[in-house]
Amino acid sequence: MLRETLLRTLDDLVGRYGKARENLLPVLQDLQAEFGFLGEETINEVARAFGLSQTEVFSVASFYHFLNTQEKGKYVIRICRTISCDLRDKANVLRALESELGIKMGETTRDKKYSLDYANCMGTCDRGPSMMVNDRLYADLSPSKAVDIIRSYR
Amino acid sequence: MARKLDVVFSDIEPGSALRAALAMTPSDVIGLVSRSKLRGRGGAGFPTGIKWDTARRHEGAEKYIVCNADEGEPGTFKDKNILERQTAKVLEGMAIGAYAIGASEGFIYLRGEYKYLVSDLARKIGEMKSQNLIGPDICHEKGFCFDIHIKLGSGSYVCGEETALLESLESRRGEPRNKPPYPAESGFLGRPTVVNNVETLSFVPHILLNGADWFQQFGTEKSTGSKLFSVSGDCGKPGIYEFEFGITIRELLKEIEADAGTKAVQIGGASGFCACADDFDKPICFEGIPTGGSIIIFNKSRSMFRVLKNFVEFFQEESCGQCVPCREGCSRMLEGIEKFEKGKGSSKTINDLLELSETMSLASKCGFGQSVPNSFRTIASKFKDEILSAGEGELWQS
């Protein structure tokens, strides 16, 4: 990521939301959507823009599961780990994805394209197993359907 | 036999309930809601009228109403469906609440997992603005202005707890606050704030249109009205159901076509209670077995050990870490449970964990830590043999 791009995006966001402390989270959410993760440089610049300490910004960013302080894949695949999806054979979907991507749960492919993670209940318990790819939700998965979906993200 | 109802997903004439509210004084609106005995549908069951009245009475130029759409309890999906199918009614419920307490701004705190709903919500808010149901001088009522903003969560279960939600709304870590002061006295930015669940708000317009007596004819004395249930797991017809409060587990099982092989029903999600066959004649309501709506069915092939472990893993991951009883307690409970898998657990381990449960429910700061032990206590007491023999044989025959 170019520093100039970061600063320009941050400037736009702070302009849109305002510098008040309560606007920090939307700014972090949008930066993550734009750049994929909130690295040290991003945290530092956000802290400067809001007049906060880096520690404080980092403490907020690191609290939320959907904000990444480490680089993740371009596509973050989150599989629902709630018991309802478990009852509907989530384990087989996970196995199929691990073997398709050649990584284990919690890992990122070497080309930084895919990360495999768990998430908690996605609100599709009657139609599980479910997964999200970035913000998009998929329910009623079978192992082959999940693999087909992932392949469409190449 | 408890009645099956269709209130939440039935259509109303847009704006009719809000106009009915505006024809009354704010305190009369609160009086009506109080008489209906409407209680919070998120699970805690706090009387909505008292919340509103507290916020109304509290001094403050700026007040807020927040729609809690951070539906995260495992096994719950009703609020998402309400937001998708009855968006306008929820927004109208917020506007009625705003009028009652004297708020001019509201927020929908939407969980990050439901981000895909944002564009539809924003469009609906725009539509209602053009209909003069949100915005300045609503329904030509001079001086009643109310605007709604959408705020997103970022994947945190504890943010469904109302004070953690407020922290998150202020862009802080989602760590619950001490109560008192209650949010209705000191909430968002220290100002009086009412936080209501999506389902609660969706009942408000119906109460305005049909009255408190109509609402009270459903349910039980202490749990009036109807309730949405999100049903998943081993049954013929999973999905969303609306029944009056007081329905017994057995009646519910019949409706959702769960067969005689039903071994256990988890009521209220991971933080709720596990019911076994002996409990099936108990009613689901605040004075019976309470629930925010999550109902998960387990048949005889399921390992209750694995169910329990799934819940404890969930808590261990989602504990905000702020207070010791919950942060340490969740980790120790998971450690203890894993012992059984390795064949190293005994009755003493269960007793140790029951003691830990007592500490957690007494000493944890918020409802999260206090309710972690619910599933452990109920599963470990009703299915003790399954826990003790977790190290042997197959855990799941699916």
Side-chain angles (χ1 to χ4, degrees):
Chain A
M1 174 199 344
L2 278 170
R3 191 179 154 77
E4 282 165 34
T5 323
L6 168 65
L7 291 180
R8 198 172 51 241
T9 312
L10 179 57
D11 209 45
D12 285 350
L13 290 172
V14 171
R16 192 187 324 155
Y17 291 109
K19 268 190 190 179
R21 175 65 178 77
E22 66 267 25
N23 301 317
L24 175 64
L25 194 53
V27 168
L28 291 176
Q29 287 167 336
D30 285 5
L31 284 171
Q32 154 134 339
E34 185 72 26
F35 302 114
F37 76 113
L38 305 165
E40 202 178 328
E41 190 185 12
T42 310
I43 299 278
N44 291 348
E45 291 305 333
V46 171
R48 200 197 313 264
F50 276 88
L52 297 167
S53 73
Q54 295 151 9
T55 333
E56 187 168 356
V57 176
F58 183 79
S59 83
V60 173
S62 60
F63 179 84
Y64 295 93
H65 293 312
F66 288 2
L67 297 179
N68 310 316
T69 50
Q70 302 286 327
E71 190 170 3
K72 291 253 179 185
K74 183 176 173 197
Y75 304 115
V76 180
I77 304 159
R78 292 190 171 89
I79 298 178
C80 179
R81 65 180 298 170
T82 292
I83 195 74
S84 306
C85 281
D86 222 348
L87 298 175
R88 296 172 78 110
D89 296 333
K90 169 216 76 188
N92 294 337
V93 170
L94 173 59
R95 264 196 294 276
L97 289 179
E98 283 179 336
S99 110
E100 168 72 12
L101 299 172
I103 53 172
K104 292 280 172 205
M105 172 51 70
E107 294 178 348
T108 299
T109 55
R110 218 183 267 173
D111 61 2
K112 301 272 182 205
K113 208 155 191 185
Y114 303 100
S115 293
L116 204 47
D117 259 329
Y118 273 128
N120 289 313
C121 196
M122 296 169 185
T124 46
C125 319
D126 53 338
R127 299 184 291 119
S130 311
M131 68 174 180
M132 290 173 76
V133 182
N134 294 347
D135 296 333
R136 182 109 190 251
L137 176 71
Y138 298 92
D140 280 320
L141 294 175
S142 65
S144 61
K145 193 173 157 190
V147 168
D148 284 347
I149 291 167
I150 295 312
R151 284 183 182 162
S152 72
Y153 280 90
R154 273 183 202 284
Chain B
M1 180 76 196
R3 286 166 283 186
K4 193 173 182 176
L5 293 163
D6 184 22
V7 177
V8 175
F9 292 112
S10 66
D11 293 329
I12 57 163
E13 164 80 28
S16 56
L18 182 55
R19 278 188 286 272
L22 292 174
M24 300 160 72
T25 66
S27 55
D28 284 348
V29 171
I30 293 175
L32 176 65
V33 172
S34 296
R35 278 198 309 285
S36 76
K37 298 191 195 165
L38 175 66
R39 295 174 67 170
R41 261 50 179 169
F46 193 84
T48 306
I50 296 182
K51 236 183 214 186
W52 287 15
D53 196 44
T54 308
R56 189 184 73 85
R57 286 168 188 276
H58 220 80
E59 296 290 320
E62 304 275 347
K63 296 178 185 180
Y64 304 96
I65 183 157
V66 178
C67 169
N68 184 347
D70 194 50
E71 171 176 67
E73 189 61 55
T76 319
F77 44 96
K78 59 172 184 89
D79 291 343
K80 180 189 66 156
N81 278 269
I82 301 173
L83 287 171
E84 281 175 332
R85 293 160 56 189
Q86 289 292 341
T87 323
K89 198 156 69 186
V90 177
L91 300 176
E92 193 164 332
M94 286 179 77
I96 294 167
Y99 173 71
I101 67 167
S104 56
E105 229 178 317
F107 300 98
I108 298 174
Y109 184 87
L110 185 70
R111 67 193 298 236
E113 290 85 342
Y114 293 172
K115 189 175 173 183
Y116 60 94
L117 295 177
V118 168
S119 54
D120 281 350
L121 280 173
R123 186 164 27 175
K124 202 73 199 177
I125 292 171
E127 234 174 81
M128 288 180 65
K129 278 184 181 168
S130 67
Q131 295 162 343
N132 189 223
L133 298 173
I134 297 175
D137 298 329
I138 292 172
C139 299
H140 308 293
E141 175 86 8
K142 272 267 170 286
F144 175 45
C145 307
F146 179 58
D147 201 1
I148 298 176
H149 312 279
I150 303 165
K151 295 277 184 177
L152 270 176
S154 265
S156 164
Y157 167 77
V158 75
C159 286
E161 196 277 342
E162 60 178 359
T163 62
L165 184 154
L166 292 169
E167 287 289 301
S168 183
L169 211 53
E170 292 181 10
S171 287
R172 298 175 194 281
R173 294 165 66 85
E175 294 174 351
R177 300 174 179 174
N178 280 319
K179 292 195 267 192
Y182 293 94
E185 304 157 335
S186 173
F188 180 61
L189 303 176
R191 296 160 187 168
T193 305
V194 161
V195 183
N196 286 144
N197 172 262
V198 174
E199 185 185 344
T200 313
L201 288 166
S202 76
F203 278 111
V204 167
H206 291 280
I207 292 170
L208 263 293
L209 290 173
N210 301 313
D213 291 341
W214 164 83
F215 190 74
Q216 279 199 54
Q217 67 176 302
F218 309 114
T220 66
E221 198 196 331
K222 287 183 175 155
S223 312
T224 56
S226 50
K227 176 82 192 81
L228 288 192
F229 297 104
S230 314
V231 178
S232 64
D234 301 317
C235 65
K237 286 160 86 182
I240 293 182
Y241 292 82
E242 182 176 341
F243 287 102
E244 62 181 329
F245 267 122
I247 185 171
T248 64
I249 299 169
R250 197 179 303 283
E251 285 171 338
L252 184 67
L253 289 174
K254 189 166 173 251
E255 288 287 336
I256 63 178
E257 296 182 3
D259 62 24
T262 302
K263 176 162 78 177
V265 182
Q266 183 72 18
I267 298 169
S271 63
F273 302 85
C274 180
C276 63
D278 291 347
D279 303 313
F280 287 175
D281 289 314
K282 292 183 180 165
I284 302 174
C285 52
F286 295 114
E287 63 270 42
I289 303 180
T291 176
S294 171
I295 307 280
I296 310 174
I297 317 295
F298 303 105
N299 69 25
K300 291 205 161 81
S301 76
R302 308 302 187 177
S303 152
M304 295 312 290
F305 173 79
R306 209 168 124 181
V307 171
L308 176 60
K309 190 179 168 208
N310 179 290
F311 290 158
V312 178
E313 281 173 340
F314 165 75
F315 286 126
Q316 199 266 338
E317 188 181 290
E318 292 293 335
S319 171
C320 82
Q322 183 186 194
C323 74
V324 177
C326 177
R327 182 183 68 229
E328 280 301 305
C330 288
S331 294
R332 298 288 164 239
M333 187 169 280
L334 185 57
E335 264 176 36
I337 283 166
E338 284 170 343
K339 275 190 185 173
F340 294 103
E341 229 169 1
K342 297 171 193 147
K344 288 180 182 164
S346 61
S347 287
K348 182 181 179 305
T349 318
I350 291 187
N351 289 338
D352 288 346
L353 293 177
L354 284 171
E355 213 172 294
L356 174 67
S357 298
E358 185 73 9
T359 307
M360 289 180 75
S361 55
L362 286 172
S364 295
K365 180 169 172 178
C366 78
F368 178 107
Q370 291 160 12
S371 59
V372 167
N374 291 346
S375 50
F376 173 75
R377 279 180 178 141
T378 46
I379 294 176
S381 65
K382 289 166 192 177
F383 300 99
K384 192 172 175 183
D385 291 347
E386 284 192 42
I387 308 297
L388 288 171
S389 62
E392 305 155 16
E394 284 289 307
L395 273 179
W396 205 269
Q397 302 106 40
S398 177

